[in-house]
Amino acid sequence: EIVMTQSPAALSLSAGDRATLSCRASQSVSSNLAWYQQKPGQAPRLLIYAVSTRATGIPARFSGSGSGTEFTLTISSLQSEDFAVYYCQQYNNWPPWTFGQGTKVEVK
Amino acid sequence: EVQLVQSGAEVRKPGESLKISCKGSGYSFTKYWVGWVRQMPGKGLEYMGIIYPGDSDTRYSPSFQGQVTISADESINTAYLQWSSLKASDTAMYYCAKSAIMSAAGPFDYWGQGTLVTVSS
């Protein structure tokens, strides 16, 4: 099973700041990497798939990069609605498609 | 509009059985994989398994193999997750979600609202 490790576990930032979230895979997942956002009491929402493709309706301030085993989600300028938990997920090696443990972006 | 609507919250005792549902609409239900994800209280997301409603091909995460059964009824566009004997450790929110890629088990682009399952004596 591929293990996805996210860092940091929590990020304390202010609105307008740039957020950089990391995700590392225990082995290569090629370009089969997605990012999700989850707010309290809500289902996760797909932000990015195939490393860098934004899902429908996702603002351009969200961007993804990386390849192989190292990936990054960048939020260029945090808005109030972006404070949430973010998960990466690989869908390259089954079983299963694994999630990272999450990074909480919180208000500083 | 694509929607996945899950059945309501459930409270059960240890040892009881349970089947929860996820009804898809607004897309071709038989052509996209549907998965189930567990989220225990205050914890992260865990991939349980996935089913292709078109032919009921089902894959389980090793952690959940033998613990749950995933099924689908294409005639009513509904996927199911069931337990034969619940444990207290099954207490969690369960989400269904639809694969973003037709005929491939990829990332999930639409999610149900979640079903909270509470198992307590």
Side-chain angles (χ1 to χ4, degrees):
Chain A
E1 174 176 319
I2 293 182
V3 177
M4 306 299 290
T5 303
Q6 292 186 239
S7 61
L11 206 47
S12 294
L13 295 168
S14 302
D17 286 348
R18 181 183 187 88
T20 303
L21 287 65
S22 296
C23 175
R24 173 177 292 177
S26 59
Q27 63 189 77
S28 176
V29 299
S30 187
S31 297
N32 297 309
L33 191 285
W35 290 92
Y36 299 85
Q37 176 194 67
Q38 187 179 32
K39 297 179 181 179
Q42 296 185 17
R45 176 173 72 145
L46 179 65
L47 297 176
I48 301 276
Y49 63 95
V51 177
S52 59
T53 302
R54 280 189 300 276
T56 303
I58 302 303
R61 63 181 182 272
F62 292 92
S63 64
S65 62
S67 65
T69 61
E70 300 281 347
F71 302 92
T72 301
L73 174 70
T74 302
I75 310 171
S76 59
S77 178
L78 278 166
Q79 304 299 300
S80 57
E81 62 268 29
D82 300 336
F83 292 94
V85 180
Y86 293 83
Y87 295 94
C88 62
Q89 180 207 17
Q90 68 83 16
Y91 51 98
N92 190 66
N93 288 56
W94 182 271
W97 303 151
T98 41
F99 292 96
Q101 80 281 17
T103 291
K104 184 177 184 179
V105 178
E106 55 191 15
V107 178
K108 186 173 183 180
Chain B
E1 179 195 6
V2 174
Q3 281 192 308
L4 293 172
V5 178
Q6 297 184 230
S7 49
E10 302 276 3
V11 180
R12 291 285 189 277
K13 290 181 167 47
E16 293 186 339
S17 62
L18 177 64
K19 190 174 189 178
I20 62 175
S21 67
C22 168
K23 184 174 177 61
S25 62
Y27 72 100
S28 182
F29 184 75
T30 58
K31 294 184 178 177
Y32 291 85
W33 291 79
V34 173
W36 288 93
V37 175
R38 183 175 79 175
Q39 188 166 40
M40 300 177 77
K43 302 299 184 183
L45 305 174
E46 298 174 270
Y47 203 105
M48 301 177 72
I50 197 161
I51 187 166
Y52 188 70
D55 62 7
S56 291
D57 184 6
T58 307
R59 320 277 175 86
Y60 293 93
S61 166
S63 299
F64 293 93
Q65 179 83 49
Q67 308 304 308
V68 296
T69 301
I70 294 170
S71 60
D73 184 341
E74 63 176 285
S75 69
I76 55 172
N77 289 2
T78 300
Y80 302 96
L81 177 65
Q82 69 180 86
W83 296 258
S84 59
S85 181
L86 286 159
K87 310 180 192 65
S89 57
D90 292 318
T91 295
M93 182 71 81
Y94 294 88
Y95 293 101
C96 66
K98 165 193 163 291
S99 177
I101 306 169
M102 186 184 292
S103 302
F108 294 133
D109 60 351
Y110 287 90
W111 294 65
Q113 82 277 19
T115 296
L116 180 62
V117 174
T118 303
V119 184
S120 174
S121 54

